[in-house]
Every structure is written in C-alpha cells, then in structure tokens.
Amino acid sequence: MTASRPNQAAPDPHDDVALRVEHLSKVFGRRPKEALARIAAGASRDEAAKLGTAAVVDASFDVRRGEIFVVMGLSGSGKSTLIRMLNGLLEPTEGTVDVGGERVTGVDAKRLRGVRRSQVSMVFQHFALLPHRTVLENVAYGLEIQGVGRERRQQLARDVIRRVGLEAWETRMPSELSGGMQQRVGIARALCADTPVLLMDEAFSALDPLIRREMQEQLVELQAELGKTIVFITHDLNEAMFLGDRIAVMRDGRIVQIGSPEEILTDPANDYVAQFVQDVDRARVLTAASVMEPPAAAVPITVGPRGALKALRDAQTSTLLVTGPGRTVLGAVRDRDVMRAVQAGERELRPLVDAGVQQVDPDTSLAELPELAITSGLPLAVVGDGGRLLGVIPRVMLLAALGNVPTDTSELQVVDLPPALDARLLTQTLDATPEVHDAR
Amino acid sequence: MLDDLRLPLGTWVEAGVDWVTVNLAVVFDAIRAVVLALFGVAETAFTQPPEPVMIAILTLLAFAVRGWRMALGTVLGLAVIVLVGQWDNAMLTLSLTVVAALFALLIAIPLGIWAARSDTVSAIVRPVLDFLQTMPAFVYLIPAIILFRIGVVPGIIATIAFALAPGVRLTELGIRGVNKEIVEAGHAFGASPGRILRQIQLPLALPTIMTGVNQIIMLSLSMVVIAAMVGARGLGQDIVQSLQRIDIALGFEAGISVVILAIILDRCTNALGSLQQHSPIARLRARSVAARRAPSPAPATTGAAASAVAQTDTGRVGSAVGEERA
Ligand SMILES: Nc1ncnc2c1ncn2[C@@H]1O[C@H](COP(=O)(O)OP(=O)(O)O)[C@@H](O)[C@H]1O
Ligand SMILES: [Mg+2]
C-alpha cells in the first residue's frame, strides 16, 4: 500500500470535497505491481500487457459536494473499473479513495460495508433490481441493510418512490415495469439509502433515446433538489455535456483532462480530447435523437380532419405528421388543406396527406440532416425499428440547433418558415362546423 | 518385463479400508446408529398407516403441488401398486429413498454453496464428484458393507454417495449463475455475504437447486433398488429375487412399482422448483400476496397514475392524440 506521506499537508483544505481519489491504478492480471512499475518507468500500456491489463493508471481527482462529476471515455477506457474502485467493489493495485472523509481502499470488509451503508450507493447499467421483490421492497433495500425497521423504511421508500413518479407501481414486480421505470426504481433505491454520494455507471445507456433524455432531465432535477454528489459514467458525449458540472475524459486508463463542459469543448488539453471534441463539433455530437421532440405534432390517420385541426391548433404548427398502424409515418398534412377539408365537411384525412416526409434514423447526426430537411419543407420524422415514429424535428428546431454552429452552415437560417394559421381562426372553423362530421 | 509390473491399487485401498475399519469403528458405529434411527422413523411413518390413509395423504400432496390431474395419476398409480401386492415393499423403498435423499441434500447443498463461493473448493470438489458419479454404483456397496455391516445402512450410505454429485453441481451452478450485477448491488449497498446468500443468491438460484433436489431423489430411488443386494429391503429385494429365479412375473410387478414411484416423485419434486401457476399452493400463495398488497393505494387512482407514467415513459407519445380519443 502507499505509505502515508507525512510531509504533505494532511488536513483537508476544502471540506467541500465529497470524494477524493489519489494516484489510483488498477491492473488486472498475474503481476499487477510489476506491470505498474513498468508503466511508471515509461512503458506503454501495450508493452506492459504481458504482465496484466492496465485498466486504470494513476487517476487523481476530487469530487465536490453536490457536484455531478462525469467520467467520459470510449468503451474499454477503464471507466467501469474506476467507478468500481470508488466503493470498493474492486481493490486498487495502488492509490487511495476517500469518500466523505472515510477510507475505502485497503480497509477490512466490515469497515467497507460501513462506508457503503453510510456514504455511497450505486445505480447500475442494467438496473440490477432484485427480481423477486416488489418495487417498494427494492427501494427500501438499502435501509433494510442499514437495519431500519420495516414500518419506517417502507414509509421512507414511499416518499422516494413518489419523488420519481412511481407511486402507482409500489407493489409491482420489476419485471412488470418498462426499462425506464426500472431504472427509476434503481435511482430511487440509491436515493432511499440516503447516502451523500451516488455512483452511476452508464445508468441510462440501456434506455431508448427519448426516455434517456427524460431521465437525464429528471436526474438533474433530483440532484438540484436533494444536493447529492453524483459520479456519472458515460461514453456518450451528449449525456456528458448535458449532465456534467465537470467532465473527466479518460483514454486508455488515464484521465487526460478534467474541466467544465465548455472548457472541454473550447480548450481541449491535448490532441486526443481535441479530436474527441472536434469529432463532436455540435452538428455531429447532436444526433437526430438528441434534438427531436416528442411527437406531439402527430396524429393517427383515424382522427379525421377535425381531429387533425384540433391537434394543429394545440401544437401551433402549420404541418402535422400522420401515422398509420404500428405508428408508421404515412406523411404530413398542412393546416390550410385541413381547414378547407373541415369547412367542406369531409371525413377522410387520407386525401390530404403529403407523403413526402423525410424519415431519419435516431442516430443520424445533425450534420447530415439539413439538405434533407430544408428541401422538403416539412418536418422530419425520426423513426426507430419497423418504421415506428419516435419523434419529430420541426424545421424551427433544426434551424435553431444548427444556429449554434459557428460555421458556414449559418446561411441556412435565411430559409423562410411558412407561418402557421392563427389559432383563433382554427377554433372558429371548428366551432362553425358540426361535430358529427368526425370520421371514426 | 511389463507383465510382472502390476500396480497393487486394489490392495492399497483394501489396506486403507481395513485400517479405517479397525481405527474408526466408533465413528462408523455412530453413523450407523443415526441412519438406522432415522430409517426407523421413516419406516414407521410410511408403513404403519393403513393403505387407504397413506394413499389419501400422498394424493393430497400431489394435488397441492400440481393440481387434480397429478392427484388422479397418483391414485391410479398407487392403486396398481396395491393390486400387484407390492405396497409394503414400495413403502419400504420410499422410506429408504427419503432418508438417503435427505442425507444427500444435507451434504450436497452446503457443499455446493461452499464450492460456489470458493474457486479452490470448487477445484477440489469437482474431480471428487466426477469420481463419485462415474464409479459403477455396485462398487460403493463393497466398502459400505465392510464399514456398516449388512442391512439397510450400507444401502443408504452407498445411495448417498451415489446421489450426491448432481445436488452439489447444480447448487454451485445455480449460485454462480445468479446475475453478477444483482449480487454486486447487494455488495454496493453494504450487505454482508451471508445476507447476499440468503436474500439474493439462494432465492435466485432456487429453480436450479430444485433441479438438483429432483435429481438426488431420482438417483436415490434407483440406487435404493440396487442396494437390495446388500440387504436393503423393499422393491429391490423382489427384483433381486426374480433375477435369481428368472421370475418374469414378479420382476415385472416389482419393476412397474418402481417406475410408478419414480414418476410420482419426479413430477412432484419438479413442480416444487417452479410452482406452476395453476397449482393450488401457488394460487394460495398468490392470494396471500394480494391480501398483503391490499392496504396500499386505491385501485382507481392507481390506474390513472399508472397510465400517466406509462405515457411519460414512452416519451409522451401522442399525448395530444390521447386526449382527443379519450
Ligand atoms: N475483471 C477483469 N479482468 C480482466 N480485465 C478486465 C476486467 N475488467 C475490465 N478489464 C479490462 O480493463 C479494461 C477497462 O475496462 P472497463 O473498465 O470495463 O472499461 P469501460 O467501462 O470504460 O468500457 C478493458 O480492457 C477490460 O478488458
Ligand atoms: Mg463500462
């Protein structure tokens, strides 16, 4: 173990440090110490590979109280290994971790359990809920281990469950819940344990894009409300930029830069980060999934012209997506056409549908979108497997998103948007025509 | 010359067994006494009640774990055993099986747990199990007679040794197969290893462990029949006899009784692993769970909130539309 260094200032100058990591390294393999010595002497990770896999090399950082600290890096860069050393699931080859002033590394099992109960809980990528227990019992699990009585812990668990919006699901089994809901249970379980620090390893990576974004927003909200310290691991730059107060970029087991999202974007520490981030210049970082909106401006074809007109009015747009069975996109309708049809008392929406709506994959980067979108003059539909509508990118959104890019794409902003018809006009039309004409 | 070269492995083992017989006689006498006592209890329990009572009990048991079809099959099967005059033998065999399986389980499950938690133990146990499982069943009988004298005890002991392996293996397999992330979650929240075993590993490994239990019982039954060769009583005795006298009629009657017992035991223990939804016990259990849940939120609000959550979870897909259609 690393000897204590008496000549270094021992007392903590900032007592707002929630988690401190010093010279932390982990090598998997038969001769980890030797591998590490070799690397310290200047060998590369590959050169030391015979002695063991250096998953984390000499990581040092502080996480401040109430901060969301994001660790970002490509797959295999050592993120999971790092976070698992923070609560002692892995014993480091070298270095120390302190959480809330308590040592995590090199302590006996009993002490370690104490730290886990009082200081640090965890949210898992694949949720890791106990499948044979109800949502309530899962959420109360941390308190159960802490020895809190049944009544009390269930009461506390109910509070947390309400916070994450799952109060109707308390008595259900995890398998009855969707992925997003299961992860909310995972988060509730970690919150309910009432530890100041939360570790989240790719917690949202297994979720659909839209749910993922919702969860990110909810996490930021919860964090603001409860003031937890969060260490969040992700390989997704969007997620890192959205969540992180500070971001640590990892590469091949080393932390290559730590900074605010802006610092990382505008002032990359080295070529690697620059490339990472340049690869990421916003139009590329942002994917269709990241700018799409929930498809409020979409209706099934069965609603008929009146239903479409109401939706147009409520969404205040000039065009509306129309979907068929299985939420596949049939096309779009324009407000003028719909209004005319309603006035004429028509029942069918189908004749009005313009099939020229462009459909894109959620992973399409924004950089590839404009020529598609601008030329068609219609909103873009983002579709998933089997053509199922996931979201829409209204033209306004697209232009706004691209407007952030300080590049030559800015000229695109001059494209005119057709103004939506006045909402009052639509309401008048609806009022003036009889209800019975609604198609079923 | 190679012909003169002979490895006296058998002699060594014999010498070892001799030494053990002389020096550890006390231990084996104690084991003998315990096994014999337990067998006495089982024998009384199975053979004392009149046939109709015993049949009723077994049928009820079959009904509880698998439902009326199984109950019907059990009645018919047991009736056949009675009608071919093998009832007493069958109950003796059942007693032997139950006692042997019980001991085998008591050894196999803890050993399996231990092997699941320690790679060293696993590495040692595995070849021993291979040995136990592949050694011809008869061979166990020889040291068993020497150590425990003729009678039911060597039969039971040989049966235990023979039936042990799948129980250990499947327990280890089941526990090692539990989702790593879930076990890790237990650790991450500060649970002790014992607690993780009780609350996570054993419940999640239960279906696999129950398969092991089933295998132990089935192997015990088959071995108990063989054990008749060293004086264990029951159906096996008639089978051995019919073999000596080439008595096809007796052999078939005893044989079919073994098959019937085997089917009943197999189906019932199989059902225990994953209690089928329509089995009466499962239904009872579901009802008690429902009762436990009753005091929580009123169903009306539950439904509304549930659909609200479901909606947010699909990304509020078509929320505008949803209102239109409502
Ligand atoms: N238990 C282990 N044994 C051996 N090598 C491992 C183990 N866990 C991770 N590694 C290796 O360590 C490196 C980093 O892995 P990991 O921390 O999982 O990366 P990330 O989470 O960033 O994808 C990888 O090369 C991986 O193969
Ligand atoms: Mg990982």
Side-chain angles (χ1 to χ4, degrees):
Chain A
M1 281 287 95
T2 32
S4 57
R5 285 152 296 181
N7 49 352
Q8 271 195 358
D12 202 339
H14 325 274
D15 53 4
D16 67 334
V17 171
L19 190 150
R20 165 159 293 171
V21 172
E22 285 182 319
H23 304 295
L24 198 62
S25 299
K26 177 74 185 180
V27 178
F28 293 104
R30 297 205 171 183
R31 285 138 75 190
K33 291 268 181 195
E34 276 177 56
L36 216 51
R38 201 69 72 76
I39 288 170
S44 76
R45 204 160 87 134
D46 290 339
E47 284 162 3
K50 270 201 301 286
L51 298 170
T53 312
V56 173
V57 180
D58 197 22
S60 298
F61 57 88
D62 287 348
V63 179
R64 295 193 274 267
R65 236 174 263 287
E67 175 177 49
I68 301 188
F69 186 85
V70 173
V71 179
M72 179 180 72
L74 298 175
S75 174
S77 57
K79 309 180 296 293
S80 294
T81 307
L82 176 64
I83 201 171
R84 286 151 52 80
M85 287 190 284
L86 302 186
N87 63 351
L89 288 176
L90 283 175
E91 181 66 19
T93 309
E94 245 168 45
T96 58
V97 174
D98 297 86
V99 181
E102 291 193 62
R103 191 47 59 98
V104 173
T105 46
V107 300
D108 62 39
K110 193 153 177 284
R111 272 279 286 287
L112 188 55
R113 284 201 291 273
V115 178
R116 286 167 178 167
R117 288 177 200 180
S118 63
Q119 299 293 339
V120 54
S121 43
M122 195 164 193
V123 180
F124 295 81
Q125 178 169 3
H126 302 289
F127 325 137
L129 303 176
L130 311 187
H132 54 302
R133 290 177 162 219
T134 62
V135 167
L136 184 66
E137 289 164 341
N138 263 290
V139 173
Y141 184 64
L143 294 176
E144 183 183 335
I145 292 169
Q146 290 166 25
V148 176
R150 190 185 166 84
E151 284 298 312
R152 176 91 187 117
R153 69 177 187 247
Q154 296 212 338
Q155 183 190 340
L156 290 169
R158 285 203 180 91
D159 288 346
V160 182
I161 290 174
R162 199 165 314 122
R163 243 180 223 288
V164 299
L166 286 178
E167 56 270 40
W169 300 81
E170 271 171 18
T171 57
R172 303 299 187 87
M173 292 296 176
S175 58
E176 299 176 75
L177 274 57
S178 71
M181 290 156 89
Q182 288 190 35
Q183 193 55 301
R184 276 188 230 174
V185 177
I187 292 173
R189 175 172 68 177
L191 289 176
C192 194
D194 202 26
T195 57
V197 179
L198 248 62
L199 306 178
M200 304 178 77
D201 187 358
E202 307 254 5
F204 302 150
S205 298
L207 305 175
D208 289 341
L210 273 177
I211 296 167
R212 194 153 150 188
R213 199 139 57 110
E214 213 171 290
M215 298 285 289
Q216 290 164 2
E217 281 161 14
Q218 195 174 18
L219 182 67
V220 169
E221 257 168 50
L222 282 170
Q223 198 275 338
E225 243 172 83
L226 303 172
K228 299 283 180 191
T229 306
I230 299 175
V231 178
F232 193 102
I233 303 284
T234 182
H235 64 260
D236 175 355
L237 191 59
N238 285 317
E239 194 162 71
M241 295 284 163
F242 180 80
L243 291 175
D245 293 317
R246 285 188 305 149
I247 298 173
V249 183
M250 274 188 92
R251 179 202 188 184
D252 292 348
R254 290 181 190 270
I255 293 181
V256 289
Q257 185 174 11
I258 298 181
S260 68
E262 293 73 27
E263 282 164 7
I264 302 270
L265 265 182
T266 57
D267 187 19
N270 58 30
D271 288 349
Y272 176 76
V273 181
Q275 203 179 4
F276 208 98
V277 175
Q278 169 230 333
D279 247 359
V280 177
D281 103 351
R282 290 169 196 77
R284 304 242 187 116
V285 182
L286 300 176
T287 57
S290 67
V291 298
M292 72 184 177
E293 290 188 332
V299 292
I301 188 135
T302 48
V303 299
R306 280 181 62 85
L309 198 60
K310 276 184 204 164
L312 275 166
R313 179 194 57 190
D314 296 343
Q316 299 202 7
T317 60
S318 58
T319 51
L320 194 61
L321 288 180
V322 178
T323 58
R327 287 192 68 75
T328 51
V329 178
L330 298 176
V333 290
R334 295 189 173 75
D335 52 4
R336 287 169 210 282
D337 300 338
V338 175
M339 197 164 73
R340 232 172 278 133
V342 170
Q343 282 162 349
E346 281 172 26
R347 286 150 168 264
E348 283 293 330
L349 199 53
R350 194 171 291 275
L352 311 177
V353 174
D354 179 348
V357 172
Q358 303 271 1
Q359 305 189 6
V360 296
D361 193 271
D363 292 329
T364 315
S365 75
L366 220 52
E368 303 166 45
L369 294 182
E371 61 271 30
L372 285 175
I374 305 300
T375 51
S376 79
L378 292 170
L380 268 172
V382 182
V383 298
D385 295 338
R388 201 170 67 90
L389 179 62
L390 294 176
V392 269
I393 308 179
R395 299 175 71 227
V396 195
M397 275 289 290
L398 189 59
L399 295 171
L402 287 170
N404 283 340
V405 187
T407 64
D408 49 9
T409 44
S410 57
E411 68 202 50
L412 290 171
Q413 278 179 351
V414 299
V415 176
D416 271 348
L417 283 170
L421 290 179
D422 193 61
R424 274 172 308 176
L425 185 59
L426 303 189
T427 309
Q428 276 167 18
T429 312
L430 283 169
D431 289 341
T433 52
E435 199 70 51
V436 288
H437 281 287
D438 267 10
R440 265 299 69 217
Chain B
M1 290 267 274
L2 221 62
D3 288 349
D4 296 336
L5 214 72
R6 191 176 187 289
L7 184 67
L9 193 60
T11 319
W12 293 344
V13 171
E14 197 184 330
V17 171
D18 282 349
W19 185 88
V20 164
T21 326
V22 173
N23 292 284
L24 297 179
V26 190
V27 177
F28 290 105
D29 282 348
I31 295 175
R32 187 183 146 81
V34 171
V35 172
L36 213 52
L38 214 80
F39 173 69
V41 172
E43 189 187 11
T44 313
F46 282 106
T47 56
Q48 285 307 306
E51 289 158 25
V53 174
M54 205 58 215
I55 292 180
I57 292 173
L58 292 176
T59 304
L60 213 69
L61 224 74
F63 175 75
V65 296
R66 277 202 83 145
W68 65 269
R69 273 170 185 242
M70 187 62 211
L72 192 66
T74 305
V75 173
L76 292 177
L78 294 178
V80 170
I81 295 180
V82 172
L83 293 176
V84 298
Q86 290 289 358
W87 178 260
D88 287 342
N89 276 339
M91 287 304 109
L92 275 173
T93 296
L94 202 57
S95 322
L96 281 169
T97 307
V98 165
V99 171
L102 192 76
F103 278 110
L105 284 176
L106 284 179
I107 299 168
I109 291 181
L111 198 57
I113 292 172
W114 198 20
R117 315 187 90 190
S118 154
D119 289 341
T120 319
V121 173
S122 176
I124 296 168
V125 161
R126 197 165 306 159
V128 174
L129 292 182
D130 287 337
F131 177 87
L132 285 178
Q133 219 172 5
T134 45
M135 181 62 86
F138 295 90
V139 178
Y140 292 119
L141 295 173
I142 305 163
I145 304 173
I146 297 171
L147 297 174
F148 299 100
R149 281 169 273 165
I150 217 107
V152 286
V153 178
I156 290 176
I157 299 292
T159 304
I160 294 169
F162 178 67
L164 209 56
V168 180
R169 275 189 216 284
L170 285 163
T171 302
E172 180 183 352
L173 188 74
I175 291 178
R176 284 189 185 259
V178 170
N179 182 322
K180 289 231 164 51
E181 224 185 31
I182 298 180
V183 175
E184 209 162 66
H187 285 295
F189 284 91
S192 62
R195 193 175 201 125
I196 290 174
L197 182 69
R198 267 184 293 115
Q199 295 187 327
I200 298 178
Q201 291 172 314
L202 284 180
L204 296 186
L206 195 64
T208 316
I209 295 176
M210 286 313 292
T211 308
V213 172
N214 172 268
Q215 299 249 306
I216 283 187
I217 292 176
M218 299 313 287
L219 284 179
S220 295
L221 179 60
S222 67
M223 184 63 192
V224 152
V225 173
I226 295 172
M229 298 178 72
V230 294
R233 290 177 297 155
L235 294 166
Q237 256 178 336
D238 274 13
I239 291 173
V240 171
Q241 236 176 59
S242 65
L243 192 66
Q244 285 159 354
R245 295 195 231 135
I246 320 287
D247 181 344
I248 294 181
L250 181 64
F252 186 78
E253 285 170 2
I256 197 77
S257 302
V258 172
V259 171
I260 290 168
L261 276 189
I263 292 175
I264 293 174
L265 283 176
D266 179 55
R267 298 299 185 273
C268 286
T269 53
N270 238 341
L272 285 178
S274 49
L275 270 184
Q276 290 174 343
Q277 263 141 23
H278 50 266
S279 88
I281 284 190
R283 250 182 269 153
L284 253 176
R285 199 190 276 176
R287 207 176 305 158
S288 80
V289 169
R292 196 151 43 82
R293 288 175 181 187
S296 35
T301 60
T302 309
S307 66
V309 172
Q311 233 173 42
T312 47
D313 238 80
T314 47
R316 292 195 204 85
V317 165
S319 55
V321 184
E323 282 157 25
E324 291 287 326
R325 276 185 290 188

